[in-house]
């Protein structure tokens, strides 16, 4: 125990750098995207660095990672990086190596180039049925299906601006999808089913009660068990009770599915960051390829591609044309569920006569 | 080769141009990893049932750490014994995720031997997430990792693994040393990361500029975002080259043939309309600029951030549980960010103290500020109110005054009042 | 001449170019009205004390009416006996406040004889407010008023006196008959106005167009605002005259010499940017127009609202008590408004029924909608959700589903669940 | 009682119309402002109507009203009207009568022409110390003082756009000031003083308790009286308790005063209606002429006049330049009280790095 190593933290960043990053740290002057997936960064001294970005599955095996390492060893001085959206970036310092690298990537077949500029880049996502205990949907499956469908937008620059799609498999939103151009969110739609026979043994009843944001949970005696009951009228299926108490699972084949949200952004470019807003409240889970979800996302994306001005993010486009037009051009249904009724709802109502017919 | 389960549905996910995680995992299963075969089997069952098949949580970990490991057990272990235990380890990534292959192979090697061989590169917070270990392997894995210079990241009611954008390592716009800040905070607060002692989780993320490539404003309790105080640097020759169509727009983000219309694309889309172009030169009224990055993004060869750099500090982003999702809110408009970041850390300590003292169980700092008021928070961190902290001042008339602000105080004598006013 | 009190402070308010209420009231005091002299005296005392000198409320009224009179007593009656009682009567104004002098003198005459002779033209809701009567005068005043064809307006938890802008009587932009709507509603709902029976007050205001000259969107539980469905009428000759500087901008609101720059002032300020001007003709993409009135306001001789007119109905404006001030929210984007306004009144009845049934004591309809959700309200008034009702859809993921929307309903069997998922 | 006349409603509007309004009802084609206070409306048939708008005191006597009636009798066929902001409008049908009317008004001296176009028109206001029981300030006095000071803006067209000033003497806001370019609001700053000896006789304790939006009021026994107590920490001086319970007055010479709010609007022109936002949390009551209030309003108005583009309302101007600039150019102090801490406060925070130094 004495010589146990703890609290050493991660390797220092510069241990991971190749020499040319060390040498040019902080000296970058500008960049250019040479073609989809290929970036050039130039320093004040004219040094040039070429980056090839490849699609990452995020969920991968050491075998795939070893493939990546091999390419990095061969072309990139044994170095590469991951982006904040789980893409893989290989860097080389001259155009000859660049061409060789590109060829090697093409040959690999599992490392598609793209994800730069006005494209659909990789989908930030979460665990889904692969690892988590609270998901309403799978994560990796829908991501694969959507990226397959939108592949033409991954390795091209034909959109008006960047489109960032994110997925989170439950309302905990580990994908932090709430500020995405398009967000895919797993939602439950049934109140927890309660295991009265075990609840008191497994959970602390006061904690379970306190966990509910709408105070839907009350203590109750059921079949002589000390337990709780849920006022279904008040339940909004957030799952926080289940997080605190395993005897209250929400997952249900018919209840669960996907909600789609649109128009969020994170950058401060032009407009301030924005939340994504509800576009489609519910699409059933359709494994293995989530066809309706895939189709609906394409519909939204194409409406945006056709309607937006260049440099206009999804949310900026919608704000310009108005939500009434968004629902018109996408032919999505506007339902009562689109109307906010949570704590700040009043700020979303339209206090104006300004609207489009 | 491990015992493969039939996975007709998952097999559908081997089609299509995007790399297939199914194909990849099958490959490792075929190479002998039971965990991989059983994971696919259980996932196939989930696809059939449209319900996940993991049990709720499970407290496992490594000695002396309160986090870094997420326990996970199959709820159909008889069918899929290879994933009966399927705990994850969060391995703290190197800041901005550059890897030397030789170093990465240290982790891969351990993981291939002792774990499932499956992992996430990376988790949403930023860690390398090693997916699927049996309980008995956790300690050995930890020992081997630390021996090689790797450590676990955060989980639970603790500091979570900080993350940052690529920054000065490869980006011309980084106004701060994102990686150094990220690493420095990670090292400084190892204890806070490994021994959960707070009301709830706390996240740092570091963006080099307002473009926000690590999405800190949406995903971190404390967002550190590079910015500058002086003027945008202009290279008028490059402006002319853009005007002449010699350089394409937006660094080529729309293809090499996309010409820039300086007036329409830059000046007219500048949110403060503080730019003007007379056909020759581009002018910026920098006093009115809000450093949104748009013009710089569109003309990377002509415009650059200023040189008097530092960070804006925003606080409070989080996912929706419970009060609804929040973005971070501007708390410190500008703070210099030079190592060892003392001024910033002072702020952080004050913030944590206040949160620790006042936060309810599972209350994020953003929610606490919402509950107590931004004023209270500012007092705690000893900052003066500034109009930059709000989009707009209050519109409701419900102002709380303290007794000492009002002459005569709050105590009054009804008898005196009644002398002036009959009942 | 009444007994005058020294009013050195109020005398300061006799100076300056704006008409002085002090001078005016003094004049009537000097003509013999004790109430006037004593009001000034008491007001002077308030100026000295920096506190008002009226007692809290006081229930007075006229027989059979639950409102229309606000009771008021001096808290220093010994000093100012002329205002010992100082009740107000709210006299329902004629819609849009045109007066024939002969008719107005009916009220003036009664008020000079039986009241203080002081009044507000008009109260904030719209009534003529007769300020200051003794209790014993209330019935006689009421009798004389009604005899002459005047009635009281609303107060208390009742329908309040509806009001409207000048509308078609003198405004070219009125899309609806504001005065007729106002009068019709007033007459139809006399009982609701005079016999308070609701959770709280309810106000109608009628604006002829989105300019909102009676501020209905800020001041009425139900705002009726004229608008149109078809195209803005354009007179291109007049457009040319504006371009040539022959007609000044904005109907002269900035002086006769203010020329209009059609591109900059009109097209570029159009919020939807749906206008274009090619130097000769002005084009409007009416489908994209939100009928904000800006262009029409700036070019009244060239542009006019369309002819397929009706109203937008917005609900819920109120002052801050208790939830904070609200503006009205769009509920019916477009409704034709032809006498006898049946469709609109149907809506009103449904709205009132729901409010009556669900509203807590002193809960305005806007607050009830806030508490219950806009959805609930829409169901009650039998309207379909429409994106026009919101500025934006929800951003929180907290959607309430009804049991019948979800296949299989809400009831589930934990035993069935456990068959699939071990504990 | 039997022949009591009730529920007859107001005189029908058209009983009050002169013939030319009847004849031209709904036929108006356009208008022109000829000079400050003078409007011309023209019908489709070319009929012209001239309106002269005069400042109204709102609080007036029958004598003043009689003066007005006399002018109307002499020049306007015995008809005139009031505007929605308490101004007085005289109408004539030819320019000769117009000139005579204008002269008569000038001679009167108490009916200043103005209030049209890009001006400061009359201040919508409430009762104040003249009639109400809950005011924190007087109404007519401050209005007179402010209008005197801003008179040059009343009868001119030199502002960038309309400026609507409103006053309400307490948080009940009978002036509905919450959407005004400049709002003058009477505010209390001390919690109610409680008359324990009478409270239980005069008020219903549960009603008093329920009245408080912040739940600051609790039942209490004081000196053997059943009464209530107020948690001063939670009191925001809204006065709702006093409305419900006369034994809890708030008025206090030192506590009461004026808060100023800016940037609201009601019209849908260009921008949607907006709330007014806090500019100055507190200015002491300074009868008889409220000098600091008057001066501060002028400062705000002049900053607007200097800074705004033509056609830009106060709130539109502030949104363009930013609140940080508003506080800079007006030299008003930004304090903790400006930061919202009521129920929707979170929506007012700045979720962006966009700001001006
Ligand atoms: C590599 C990466 C940083 C990293 O540390 O890994 C990165 C790199 C660059 N970003 Fe980014 N951004 C990266 C994630 C982001 C994110 C975060 C996210 O999507 O989760 C954002 C915020 C997105 C949002 O607003 O929702 C982001 C918003 C931007 C913007 C602002 C775009 C806008 O107009 O809103 C720019 C400027 C631009 O593209 O013109 C930018 C520009 C850039 C530049 C041009 C910076 C530079 O000069 O090197 C880099 C290449 C851009 C490209 O690929 O077209 N980067 N960038 C991230 C790549 C993610 C990926 O694999 O796809
Ligand atoms: C692994 C990871 C998802 C992923 O696939 O990448 C993850 C997984 C879980 N998150 Fe998360 N969160 C992960 C990043 C996030 C993020 C994104 C971020 O950090 O940038 C968020 C949104 C930002 C935020 O912090 O709010 C996030 C917001 C949550 C929440 C909601 C917190 C809230 O305040 O609203 C919960 C619920 C909770 O804490 O009980 C949660 C809870 C969980 C738990 C522990 C499930 C639970 O109910 O206890 C998940 C364990 C899954 C598993 O079995 O592996 N996770 N979680 C991410 C961590 C990997 C890493 O360390 O790199
Ligand atoms: C006379 C008048 C002010 C004036 O000088 O013009 C007035 C005077 C009073 N109002 Fe008002 N309100 C008057 C128009 C308004 C308006 C404006 C409007 O109707 O357009 C509002 C804001 C809009 C609204 O309805 O919200 C208004 C919002 C209030 C409120 C706050 C209501 C709320 O929901 O927030 C109260 C408090 C209450 O109801 O207890 C209130 C209460 C009062 C009381 C009855 C005082 C009280 O606490 O009970 C005042 C009696 C004063 C007196 O002694 O004469 N008065 N009140 C207005 C009515 C005259 C008329 O009939 O024409
Ligand atoms: C007489 C009156 C209606 C009535 O029934 O009494 C009226 C009459 C006219 N209004 Fe108004 N407005 C009247 C109160 C209002 C109000 C209500 C208020 O201030 O409480 C508003 C909303 C104010 C706000 O947004 O806060 C109002 C917002 C407008 C607008 C929109 C201005 C803008 O750009 O925001 C116009 C259009 C314009 O002026 O260009 C307008 C235009 C007009 C026109 C030109 C309409 C017409 O063609 O006749 C009238 C003469 C305007 C002028 O005086 O310059 N009127 N107008 C009201 C005069 C009040 C007064 O005595 O000062
Ligand atoms: S979003 Fe929900 S289901 Fe998905 S990983 Fe996070 S906590 Fe688990
Ligand atoms: S799912 Fe959420 S709302 Fe429903 S009972 Fe559980 S905690 Fe409450
Ligand atoms: S946030 Fe700014 S500095 Fe960091 S990578 Fe993005 S553009 Fe570069
Ligand atoms: S950074 Fe943004 S605000 Fe500043 S000049 Fe450029 S576009 Fe305008
Ligand atoms: S609201 Fe419209 S119709 Fe009514 S007076 Fe004003 S401008 Fe004319
Ligand atoms: S009414 Fe408003 S939105 Fe419509 S065209 Fe005119 S300025 Fe544009
Ligand atoms: S605003 Fe307040 S004080 Fe003024 S009249 Fe209305 S209720 Fe009375
Ligand atoms: S003034 Fe308002 S907040 Fe204060 S005790 Fe009374 S009701 Fe409550």
């Amino acid at each position: 125990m004495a010589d146990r190593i703890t609290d050493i933290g991660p390797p220092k960043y510069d241990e991971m750098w190749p020499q040319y990053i060390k040498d040019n740290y902080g000296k970058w002057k500008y960049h250019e995207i040479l073609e989809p997936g290929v970036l050039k960064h130039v320093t004040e001294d004219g040094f040039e660095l070429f980056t090839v970005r490849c699609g990452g599955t995020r969920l991968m095996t050491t075998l795939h990672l070893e493939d990546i390492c091999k390419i990095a060893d061969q072309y990139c001085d044994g170095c590469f990086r991951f982006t904040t959206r789980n893409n893989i970036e290989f860097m080389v310092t001259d155009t000859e190596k660049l061409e060789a690298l590109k060829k090697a990537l093409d040959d690999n077949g599992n490392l598609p180039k793209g994800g730069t500029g006005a494209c659909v880049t990789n989908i930030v996502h979460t665990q889904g049925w692969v690892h988590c205990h609270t998901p309403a949907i799978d994560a990796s499956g829908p991501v694969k299906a959507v990226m397959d469908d939108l592949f033409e937008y991954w390795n091209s620059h034909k959109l008006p601006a960047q489109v960032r799609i994110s997925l989170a498999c439950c309302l905990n939103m580990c994908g932090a999808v709430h500020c995405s151009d398009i967000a895919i969110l797993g939602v439950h739609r049934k109140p927890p089913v309660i295991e009265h026979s075990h609840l008191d043994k497994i959970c602390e009843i006061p904690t379970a009660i306190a966990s509910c944001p709408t105070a839907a949970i009350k203590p109750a005696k059921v079949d002589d068990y000390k337990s709780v009951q849920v006022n279904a009228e008040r339940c909004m299926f957030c799952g926080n009770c289940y997080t605190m108490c395993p005897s209250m699972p929400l997952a249900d084949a018919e209840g669960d599915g996907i909600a789609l949200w649109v128009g969020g952004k994170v950058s401060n470019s032009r407009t301030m960051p924005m939340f994504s807003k509800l576009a489609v409240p519910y699409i059933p889970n359709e494994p293995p390829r989530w066809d309706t979800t895939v189709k609906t996302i394409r519909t939204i994306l194409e409406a945006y591609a056709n309607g937006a001005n260049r440099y206009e993010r999804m949310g900026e486009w919608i704000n310009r044309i108005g939500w009434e037009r968004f629902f018109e051009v996408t032919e999505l249904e506007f339902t009562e569920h689109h109307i906010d009724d949570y704590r700040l709802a009043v700020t979303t109502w339209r206090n104006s006569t300004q609207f489009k017919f | 080769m491990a015992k493969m389960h039939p996975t007709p549905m998952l097999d559908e996910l081997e089609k299509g141009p995007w790399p297939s995680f199914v194909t990849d995992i099958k490959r490792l299963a075929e190479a002998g990893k039971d965990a991989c075969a059983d994971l696919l089997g259980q996932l196939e069952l989930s696809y059939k049932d449209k319900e996940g098949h993991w049990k709720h949580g499970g407290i496992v970990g490594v000695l002396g750490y309160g986090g870094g490991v997420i326990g996970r057990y199959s709820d159909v272990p008889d069918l899929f014994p290879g994933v009966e235990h399927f705990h994850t380890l969060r391995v703290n990534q190197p800041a901005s995720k550059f890897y030397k292959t030789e170093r990465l192979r240290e982790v891969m090697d351990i993981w291939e031997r002792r774990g499932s061989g499956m992992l996430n590169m990376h988790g949403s917070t930023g860690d390398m997430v090693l997916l699927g270990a049996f309980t008995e392997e956790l300690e050995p894995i930890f020992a081997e990792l630390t021996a090689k210079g790797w450590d676990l990241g955060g989980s639970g009611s603790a500091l979570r693994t900080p993350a940052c954008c690529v920054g000065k390592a490869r980006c011309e716009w980084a106004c701060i040393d994102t990686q150094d800040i990220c690493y420095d905070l990670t090292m400084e607060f190892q204890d806070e990361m490994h021994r959960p002692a707070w009301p709830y989780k706390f996240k740092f993320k570091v963006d080099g500029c307002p473009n926000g490539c690590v999405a800190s404003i949406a995903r971190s309790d404390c967002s550190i975002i590079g910015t500058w105080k002086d003027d945008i640097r202009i290279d008028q020759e490059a402006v002319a080259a853009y005007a002449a169509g010699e350089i394409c727009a937006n660094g080529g983000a729309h293809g090499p043939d996309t010409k820039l219309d300086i007036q329409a694309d830059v000046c007219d889309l500048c949110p403060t309309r503080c730019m003007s172009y007379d056909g020759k030169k581009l002018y910026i009224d920098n006093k009115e600029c809000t450093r949104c990055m748009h013009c710089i993004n569109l003309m990377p060869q002509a415009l650059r951030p200023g040189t008097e750099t530092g960070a804006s500090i925003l606080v409070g982003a989080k996912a929706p549980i419970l009060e609804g999702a929040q973005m971070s809110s501007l708390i410190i408009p500008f703070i210099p960010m030079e190592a060892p970041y003392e001024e910033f850390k002072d702020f952080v300590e004050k913030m944590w103290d206040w949160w620790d003292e006042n936060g309810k169980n599972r209350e994020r700092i953003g929610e606490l500020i919402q509950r107590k008021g931004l004023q209270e928070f500012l007092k705690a961190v000893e900052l003066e109110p500034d109009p930059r902290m709000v989009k707009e001042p209050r519109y409701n008339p419900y102002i709380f005054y303290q007794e000492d602000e009002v002459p005569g105080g709050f105590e009054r004598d009804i008898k005196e009042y009644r002398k002036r006013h009959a009942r």
Side-chain angles (χ1 to χ4, degrees), chain A, chain B:
Chain A
M1 225 14 234
D3 47 53
R4 218 175 123 87
I5 311 169
T6 65
D7 299 292
I8 57 170
K12 191 162 178 222
Y13 48 93
D14 58 5
E15 291 175 34
M16 298 290 171
W17 285 348
Q19 192 58 39
Y20 48 82
I21 294 289
K22 240 172 234 161
D23 293 345
N24 295 294
Y25 187 78
K27 295 197 190 148
W28 304 102
K29 190 171 172 208
Y30 70 89
H31 76 279
E32 252 179 277
I33 307 180
L34 301 179
E35 61 184 89
V38 183
L39 299 156
K40 177 172 90 174
H41 284 82
V42 183
T43 65
E44 283 167 351
D45 314 325
F47 174 79
E48 298 184 336
L49 180 69
F50 300 90
T51 302
V52 183
R53 185 176 296 166
C54 299
T57 47
R58 196 181 93 113
L59 168 55
M60 59 179 72
T61 66
T62 46
L63 291 184
H64 185 54
L65 207 43
E66 180 54 34
D67 288 350
I68 295 168
C69 288
K70 284 216 183 82
I71 292 174
D73 287 341
Q74 197 168 349
Y75 302 94
C76 311
D77 305 305
C79 175
F80 71 103
R81 77 178 287 268
F82 288 90
T83 70
T84 60
R85 298 189 72 92
N86 308 313
N87 285 316
I88 299 144
E89 290 186 337
F90 298 97
M91 285 147 283
V92 293
T93 51
D94 66 55
T95 48
E96 219 169 288
K97 278 197 207 139
L98 174 63
E99 290 313 313
L101 168 65
K102 278 161 56 179
K103 193 171 168 309
L105 293 168
D106 289 345
D107 291 347
N108 174 286
N110 271 319
L111 292 164
K113 304 189 301 288
T116 54
C119 76
V120 171
T121 183
N122 205 351
I123 300 181
V124 162
H125 63 279
T126 45
Q127 297 297 339
W129 294 332
V130 165
H131 195 273
C132 195
H133 56 175
T134 72
I137 60 173
D138 187 32
S140 308
V143 163
K144 160 81 174 136
V146 172
M147 285 309 289
D148 277 344
D149 186 63
L150 300 183
F151 196 74
E152 58 171 308
Y153 293 105
W154 152 263
N155 59 6
S156 69
H157 291 153
K158 59 188 182 182
L159 288 169
Q162 291 86 333
V163 173
R164 310 291 166 143
I165 308 181
S166 308
L167 176 147
C169 26
C170 84
L171 263 57
N172 284 341
M173 284 199 189
C174 299
V177 303
H178 55 286
C179 298
S180 305
D181 295 283
I182 302 179
I184 305 169
L185 180 67
V187 293
H188 300 291
R189 294 188 307 158
K190 298 196 180 187
V193 49
I194 308 173
E195 188 162 35
H196 298 295
S197 56
H198 287 72
L199 192 138
D200 189 34
K201 282 165 230 152
I202 293 174
C203 321
E204 286 180 33
I205 289 181
T207 311
I209 291 169
S211 75
C212 181
T214 65
I217 307 178
K218 293 265 172 306
K221 199 145 205 163
V222 185
D223 300 336
D224 279 343
Y225 293 114
K226 269 174 75 182
S227 182
V228 300
Q229 66 190 23
V230 168
N231 178 350
E233 289 270 295
R234 290 192 137 204
C235 181
M236 57 192 191
F237 325 106
C238 70
N240 202 43
C241 50
Y242 180 60
T243 296
M244 303 310 286
C245 171
S247 299
M248 302 178 73
L250 281 89
D252 183 273
E254 290 171 319
D256 299 350
I258 281 172
L260 294 179
W261 309 74
V262 299
K265 73 190 272 276
V266 158
S267 83
N268 290 278
S269 187
R270 294 169 309 282
T271 45
M272 294 193 182
M274 301 188 238
F275 287 117
S276 312
K277 318 286 173 350
L278 184 63
V280 184
Y282 182 74
I283 302 173
N285 260 325
E286 295 169 335
R289 295 201 62 101
W290 277 266
D291 302 293
T292 310
T293 299
V294 167
K295 235 179 63 191
T296 311
I297 290 175
R298 177 168 276 268
T299 303
I300 293 169
L301 191 74
E302 286 181 351
Y304 161 72
N306 292 332
N309 296 332
R310 179 164 287 156
Y311 310 122
E312 201 170 46
R313 293 283 295 268
M314 177 91 63
E316 295 170 325
W317 165 63
I318 298 173
N319 282 348
R320 176 169 60 79
I321 66 167
W323 283 97
E324 56 271 49
R325 278 288 175 278
F326 171 80
F327 284 97
E328 192 181 297
V329 298
T330 56
E331 291 178 37
L332 297 174
E333 197 194 351
F334 184 87
T335 70
E336 57 168 32
H337 298 312
H338 288 89
I339 301 176
D340 194 359
D341 51 1
Y342 203 53
R343 299 188 178 153
L344 309 171
V346 63
T347 63
T348 68
W349 301 347
R350 191 178 308 227
N351 306 122
S352 173
T353 59
Q354 291 189 17
F355 65 86
K356 296 179 184 178
F357 279 108
Chain B
M1 177 158 157
K3 178 182 166 281
M4 302 295 283
H5 305 273
T7 53
M9 290 176 107
L10 289 181
D11 296 350
E12 291 298 311
L13 289 173
E14 296 196 83
K15 300 170 185 167
W18 191 250
S20 168
F21 67 98
V22 174
T23 310
D24 182 22
I25 297 175
K26 271 192 186 174
R27 199 158 52 124
L28 192 53
E30 281 156 8
K33 270 281 174 206
D34 291 338
C36 292
D38 282 350
L39 179 75
L40 289 176
Q42 181 173 313
L43 190 59
E44 179 76 16
L45 182 65
S46 294
Y47 274 44
K48 209 179 118 267
D49 287 349
K50 300 183 189 173
E51 284 170 1
H53 277 289
W54 300 108
K55 287 190 190 173
H56 190 289
I59 298 167
V60 289
V62 300
L63 227 71
Y65 277 27
V69 180
I70 307 292
R72 189 66 66 230
Y73 299 91
S74 171
D75 72 11
V76 281
D78 298 345
L79 298 176
F80 310 108
V83 294
E84 173 167 5
H85 299 195
F86 202 64
H87 313 316
T88 60
L89 292 113
R90 295 183 177 173
V91 178
N92 199 140
Q93 85 290 359
S96 78
K97 299 170 188 148
F98 280 84
Y99 289 95
K100 281 264 172 75
T101 53
E102 61 195 84
R103 298 294 313 270
L104 184 57
R105 285 199 183 96
E106 298 164 358
V107 179
M108 288 158 62
D109 168 62
I110 300 167
W111 190 236
E112 240 168 33
R113 280 187 289 105
R114 298 195 168 272
S116 74
M118 289 175 284
L119 70 173
N120 289 138
M121 297 297 279
H122 292 78
S124 282
T125 307
D127 295 289
M128 307 164 69
V129 178
L130 309 188
L131 273 176
F134 274 71
T135 309
E136 56 274 25
E137 295 292 343
L138 294 173
E139 278 298 337
I141 291 170
F142 178 71
E144 291 197 31
L145 281 172
T146 48
K148 291 284 184 187
W150 298 86
D151 199 349
L152 297 187
S155 73
S157 291
L159 178 64
R160 298 306 184 87
T161 310
C164 62
C165 75
V166 64
K168 294 195 183 210
R170 206 202 52 204
C171 181
E172 68 265 31
W173 294 326
C175 297
I176 49 176
D177 257 327
T178 59
Q179 285 147 91
D180 194 60
I181 295 167
C182 183
Y183 180 70
D184 188 292
L185 296 176
T186 307
M187 297 311 287
E188 174 98 18
F189 300 120
Q190 282 288 301
D191 195 40
E192 284 76 1
M193 194 185 315
H194 292 139
R195 284 154 212 99
W198 283 332
Y200 206 1
K201 60 187 86 168
F202 192 97
K203 297 180 181 175
F204 284 117
K205 284 191 170 65
V206 195
D207 274 311
C209 81
N211 276 333
C213 294
V214 77
S216 69
I217 209 167
R219 306 161 74 116
S220 48
D221 300 271
C222 182
S223 318
I224 303 160
I225 305 182
T227 191
W228 66 94
K229 256 194 141 153
D230 52 346
D231 292 357
I232 291 176
R233 287 174 282 169
I234 309 188
D235 175 345
Q236 297 287 2
E237 268 174 50
V239 171
Y242 276 104
E246 292 158 15
I247 312 177
C248 67
N250 200 187
H254 305 265
D257 303 328
T258 309
K259 305 257 172 295
L260 190 70
D261 178 337
I262 295 180
Q263 182 62 44
D265 299 340
V266 183
C267 301
D268 292 352
L269 296 182
C270 164
T272 62
R273 295 287 198 283
C274 68
M275 310 185 79
S276 55
Y277 176 61
D278 63 7
K280 288 205 178 97
K281 278 191 161 183
L282 185 61
Y283 304 91
I284 301 178
D285 181 358
N286 281 280
K287 203 174 164 295
E288 298 307 308
C289 166
T290 51
R291 301 166 316 288
C292 81
M293 293 295 298
H294 171 72
C295 58
I296 299 175
N297 292 342
L298 256 56
M299 306 174 77
Q301 298 195 38
L303 303 178
R304 302 171 71 186
T307 53
E308 197 188 328
T309 53
S312 295
I313 307 299
L314 296 89
V315 173
K318 56 174 295 294
I321 311 297
L322 304 173
E323 287 292 323
Q326 271 180 233
M327 288 187 242
S328 285
S329 299
L330 188 64
I331 297 298
I332 306 183
F334 187 85
I335 186 171
M337 273 303 219
E338 302 298 334
Y341 316 109
E342 286 303 340
E343 191 182 338
F344 174 71
K345 287 177 193 164
D346 275 1
F347 163 75
V348 168
E349 296 284 1
K350 282 183 215 149
M351 166 164 66
W352 284 346
D353 282 350
W354 181 72
W355 178 45
D356 217 10
E357 207 161 294
N358 295 283
K360 295 194 278 198
N361 183 31
R362 281 168 62 79
E363 186 173 45
R364 298 285 284 263
I365 189 138
E367 285 171 320
L368 177 62
I369 300 176
Q370 221 181 313
R371 178 162 64 84
K372 288 263 174 187
L374 191 47
Q375 288 91 333
E376 288 300 308
F377 176 67
L378 294 179
K379 270 179 215 154
V381 296
E382 293 170 42
L383 288 172
E384 292 300 315
D386 185 313
R388 290 159 190 85
M389 294 167 180
V390 294
K391 279 200 283 272
E392 54 192 35
R394 72 163 69 235
Y395 62 83
N396 66 70
Y398 295 149
I399 304 177
F400 290 84
Y401 281 93
Q402 302 300 316
E403 178 151 22
D404 58 13
E405 290 179 89
V406 186
F410 284 173
E411 287 306 315
R412 290 187 286 156
D413 186 349
I414 186 72
K415 292 210 189 83
E416 284 304 314
Y417 184 87
R418 281 291 172 235
K419 277 188 198 154
R420 298 190 301 279
H421 308 278
R423 195 171 306 117

